[in-house]
Amino acid sequence: MTDPTTDLTPAHVPREASPAGEIRDRWSWVEPCVWTDRMLTALEQGVRGGRWFSLVDKVYALPTLEAAFARVKANDGAAGVDHCTVAMYDARLEANLTELATSLRTGTYRPQAIRRHWIPKPGTTEQRPLGIPTVRDRIVQTALRLVLEPIFEQGFAPQSYGFRPRRSTRHALRRVEALLQGGAVHVVDADFQAYFDRIPRAPLRAAVQAKVSDGRVLALLDAFLSQEIFDGLASWTPEAGTPQGAVVSPLLANIYLDALDHLMVAEGFEMVRYADDLVVLCATESEAQRALAVLHGWTHAAGLQLHPQKTRLVDVRQPGGFDFLGYHFERGYRWPRAKSIRKFKDTLRRKTRRTHGESLAVIIADVNRSARGWFGYFQHSHWTTFPALDAWLRMRLRSILRTRARRRGRGRGADHHRWPNAFFAAHGLFTMTTAHALAVQSSRR
């Protein structure tokens, strides 16, 4: 008799099954030491009963933990409550991973508390809480994600773009632009209130359990969701949500909102979602009103809440527009939202203080790295975005040179003749206006 805990027999096998190589190509992003060709075939064709058993052995397998540590090491990150850094863990890697595998296999593994760290919210004076698990716990969470992600990725709806393999903000923005150009000018601009902190645990667990029946894997997820949080001298155990900063949190967040994704498809709406940031693009105002009503209904039933001030209906042909993934959309154009520009300027301010002691060449090289990266993301903005930013940056550099010439105040007036734009171009300053013109010219070809 077949053991249901290890059965990977596909629910059905087509007459002409795809060769293993083709399946591997489609799933090239998965970790091969975890996902064998046989498992990928079962993933595509469906396992019996639609639920996966006996997965914990793949989590604690040494090759899985080694692959997980490689990813943790690449991300680096700060130490957790045990003060153990990635470098310290790496110094005894073989012994550490062997010990970790043993504790997972024997069921003695227990995650440690999460250290809370506060980071500034871009473009605001507010701060956002970030949870920092220990290196050891980050490895186990990464191993869990390597095992679980393909199972859920197989069924995720196409309009979800955040924290998914082979998808990015650029894909989401491209879809929004296509819908706007197709006449979907009435937009539901929706915002969940404290989404990651408010995800109800019981229905989240039920959503995971719908596809995963390994009790020890579910127990590991429960343990990570119930980790104690240390914030200075205070400590507590949250009763809801998934910790921001935890490796498994983005996957769990997508799992919980997947039901909403499929509901909106069934209702005929064009929703574009990136994690908890979403917009619904509609052809008419009445359709947008109906979409908002469906959103409110699902959100209430799911134990979540839409932000009352940040959720609204927008006609993009009128002044006001909406923000999405760093961009502002309005009247047929898009440009960086105000917070994106403030964050960019704050970065450049730190690099161009008047008392900066490095040479102009070093300062420009440092500035260029930030400017090129920012432009790479926002290059599809309306052309009027870039001249003002270029001029502002040159003003910052002229102010440095003015200080070195023992003059007070910021660069202005005659400084434009003393250090003209051509002076900075000759020193290699990256100019977004020129880069945008070249990008437009290239696209027209």
Side-chain angles (χ1 to χ4, degrees):
M1 183 175 178
T2 303
D3 182 355
T5 64
T6 58
D7 184 20
L8 288 179
T9 305
H12 65 280
V13 180
R15 290 180 181 177
E16 296 181 2
S18 298
E22 292 181 18
I23 296 177
R24 178 63 62 184
D25 288 343
R26 288 193 291 274
W27 295 90
S28 60
W29 57 270
V30 305
E31 185 56 53
C33 71
V34 178
W35 286 89
T36 63
D37 291 343
R38 178 168 169 257
M39 287 179 66
L40 289 176
T41 300
L43 181 65
E44 288 204 347
Q45 297 174 7
V47 293
R48 294 188 185 280
R51 298 166 75 180
W52 289 75
F53 297 82
S54 191
L55 294 171
V56 74
D57 60 314
K58 296 164 183 62
V59 175
Y60 64 64
L62 270 175
T64 306
L65 296 177
E66 288 167 357
F69 174 75
R71 299 193 183 201
V72 171
K73 184 177 180 179
N75 291 330
D76 199 7
V81 294
D82 62 354
H83 307 292
C84 178
T85 64
V86 173
M88 291 164 64
Y89 198 94
D90 195 13
R92 297 183 63 252
L93 184 60
E94 185 177 351
N96 283 333
L97 291 184
T98 300
E99 180 182 339
L100 185 56
T102 300
S103 65
L104 287 165
R105 186 178 65 253
T106 58
T108 58
Y109 168 82
R110 298 291 182 274
Q112 295 172 276
I114 293 174
R115 179 170 69 85
R116 173 158 285 187
H117 176 66
W118 294 87
I119 58 174
K121 272 189 171 183
T124 72
T125 57
E126 300 177 33
Q127 289 190 314
R128 173 182 293 136
L130 181 68
I132 303 177
T134 62
V135 174
R136 166 179 168 270
D137 292 343
R138 297 206 292 270
I139 294 169
V140 178
Q141 289 191 27
T142 303
L144 263 177
R145 182 165 184 168
L146 292 178
V147 172
L148 295 178
E149 188 169 37
I151 294 172
F152 293 93
E153 181 63 30
Q154 173 72 353
F156 279 160
Q159 67 267 44
S160 163
Y161 294 89
F163 306 111
R164 292 182 60 188
R166 293 181 171 177
R167 287 170 171 253
S168 68
T169 53
R170 286 179 172 83
H171 296 108
L173 290 166
R174 211 172 287 146
R175 182 61 182 155
V176 168
E177 191 68 40
L179 290 168
L180 290 172
Q181 291 179 359
V185 295
H186 293 275
V187 179
V188 181
D189 182 13
D191 186 272
F192 287 106
Q193 197 162 22
Y195 172 64
F196 281 85
D197 294 333
R198 293 187 175 186
I199 302 175
R201 299 258 176 89
L204 172 61
R205 194 182 195 279
V208 175
Q209 200 167 1
K211 292 189 177 182
V212 174
S213 291
D214 188 321
R216 292 179 64 184
V217 166
L218 294 171
L220 272 177
L221 287 174
D222 287 340
F224 284 126
L225 290 173
S226 303
Q227 282 175 276
E228 191 176 9
I229 294 177
F230 281 5
D231 187 355
L233 298 177
S235 66
W236 71 95
T237 302
E239 297 181 358
T242 179
Q244 295 192 53
V247 179
V248 294
S249 287
L251 174 61
L252 294 175
N254 276 333
I255 289 171
Y256 197 63
L257 289 180
D258 186 54
L260 172 62
D261 295 338
H262 287 284
L263 171 64
M264 298 303 278
V265 170
E267 293 285 345
F269 297 122
E270 290 284 1
M271 184 173 78
V272 180
R273 181 175 68 80
Y274 192 94
D276 59 335
D277 198 357
L278 66 89
V279 288
V280 187
L281 296 99
C282 306
T284 65
E285 184 177 2
S286 60
E287 184 186 358
Q289 290 172 342
R290 187 170 73 88
L292 181 57
V294 171
L295 266 177
H296 271 297
W298 183 89
T299 303
H300 178 74
L304 301 171
Q305 185 175 346
L306 293 176
H307 199 295
Q309 280 78 46
K310 296 180 181 179
T311 300
R312 61 203 179 98
L313 298 180
V314 176
D315 183 342
V316 295
R317 298 168 297 183
Q318 304 300 320
F322 69 97
D323 295 338
F324 187 62
L325 299 180
Y327 273 94
H328 180 79
F329 294 83
E330 183 179 334
R331 289 173 288 181
Y333 301 106
R334 62 167 157 165
W335 57 84
R337 68 174 185 166
K339 284 184 179 180
S340 299
I341 291 178
R342 283 200 297 271
K343 182 183 178 184
F344 180 50
K345 284 187 170 182
D346 286 346
T347 298
L348 295 183
R349 282 190 183 97
R350 291 192 294 270
K351 296 173 180 283
T352 56
R353 292 188 176 94
R354 294 180 203 176
T355 55
H356 203 303
E358 297 287 353
S359 68
L360 183 63
V362 171
I363 295 172
I364 286 178
D366 191 22
V367 162
N368 281 351
R369 282 190 288 272
S370 296
R372 288 181 191 277
W374 192 86
F375 176 80
Y377 186 78
F378 289 105
Q379 62 180 299
H380 302 293
S381 299
H382 191 259
W383 69 268
T384 53
T385 299
F386 305 108
L389 285 171
D390 284 332
W392 180 85
L393 177 54
R394 286 192 294 265
M395 179 274 294
R396 297 285 302 180
L397 295 174
R398 287 187 181 105
S399 298
I400 293 173
L401 296 173
R402 185 179 175 87
T403 298
R404 293 178 180 181
R406 300 187 183 282
R407 291 182 172 88
R408 300 179 65 183
R410 68 181 190 176
R412 63 184 186 276
D415 294 333
H416 289 76
H417 301 289
R418 188 176 292 111
W419 300 294
N421 294 357
F423 170 84
F424 295 106
H427 281 74
L429 180 65
F430 175 72
T431 306
M432 289 180 281
T433 305
T434 302
H436 181 261
L438 290 173
V440 170
Q441 190 177 44
S442 176
S443 66
R444 285 174 179 167
R445 291 199 196 104

